[in-house]
Structures are given as C-alpha cells and as structure tokens.
Amino acid sequence: MKKILIVDDEPNIVMTLEYTFKKNNFEVFIARDGQEALEILKSQLPDVIILDIMMPLVDGFETLQHIRQNEQLNHCKVIFLSAKNKESDIEKGLALGADAYLTKPFSLKKVVEKVSELLA
C-alpha cells in the first residue's frame, strides 16, 4: 500500500484529499503545518507528500528544504498544492526540489493523476 502525507492547514482540503486517497488505496497521514509534517517524517516514509506553502509555524518552502536535506526521504515525491500562483512562487518551489506544483483552487482528478504519474 502506497503512503501519502497531506500537509495543509485548511480542514476542508485535508478532508477531501484524505477521503480521495483512502478510496484509491493509500495509507494517509495528515499534518496541519510543516512542523507536524517533519515530526511524522521521523517515523513514516511516505511515497508522496502533498504540501501547502502558506501554513503556521513552518511554511511549505522550509518544510521542503528539510525534506530534501534528509537522505532517507530522497525517494519521496513532493507536490506543492498552494494558492500561491505567481510564476516566481512556482519557480521557487520547483527550484527547491518539488516534483510538481499545482495551484488552488484545484481539480481532485488532476491531483490524483499527478500523484499516479509521479509514482509510475
């Protein structure tokens, strides 16, 4: 069973993504901010991480930097899912090592397709 970590501080988004990925046979982990995500990553090695950028405590950019510095997490695919849709934000996210960058509002179908594509 593939593992996915959903990191977002917006409860409706978390619930929607959690339901969708559980339906698609993923083991789902939830974090409400980057700090919580980094705690989960100490004990879990997900295949995919869906990461928001604007969150309390530790933002998505900083979280991704920690993930990319940890050799055990090198195999993790990271998808930014953010309302930050400026070209400069997207470029920064990809430059930091994100595998994909999707903007909100988002299509669930596109998120699932992108995850499948990255895991193929």
Side-chain angles (χ1 to χ4, degrees), residues 83-106:
K84 289 175 86 69
N85 58 6
K86 285 194 200 132
E87 198 58 43
S88 60
D89 294 320
I90 296 170
E91 285 170 9
K92 179 179 180 180
L94 296 173
L96 287 172
D99 296 285
Y101 195 113
L102 302 173
T103 55
K104 296 175 184 173
F106 61 93

Side-chain angles (χ1 to χ4, degrees), residues 20-31:
T20 302
F21 283 103
K22 280 186 173 172
K23 226 173 58 179
N24 284 289
N25 296 319
F26 277 81
E27 185 177 352
V28 179
F29 300 92
I30 305 290

Side-chain angles (χ1 to χ4, degrees), residues 11-75:
N12 292 338
I13 290 175
V14 170
M15 278 178 7
T16 306
L17 291 170
E18 180 181 21
Y19 174 78
T20 302
F21 283 103
K22 280 186 173 172
K23 226 173 58 179
N24 284 289
N25 296 319
F26 277 81
E27 185 177 352
V28 179
F29 300 92
I30 305 290
R32 307 274 174 217
D33 59 59
Q35 191 173 325
E36 195 179 339
L38 294 171
E39 280 303 308
I40 290 170
L41 290 170
K42 288 177 183 173
S43 61
Q44 296 296 332
L45 296 175
D47 300 286
V48 180
I49 300 168
I50 294 181
L51 188 57
D52 186 17
I53 293 173
M54 295 182 288
M55 298 181 292
L57 303 175
V58 180
D59 74 12
F61 289 138
E62 199 179 324
T63 304
L64 179 61
Q65 286 174 312
H66 285 288
I67 291 167
R68 290 302 179 225
Q69 288 166 2
N70 183 334
E71 281 184 26
Q72 288 181 313
L73 301 173
N74 278 348
H75 76 284

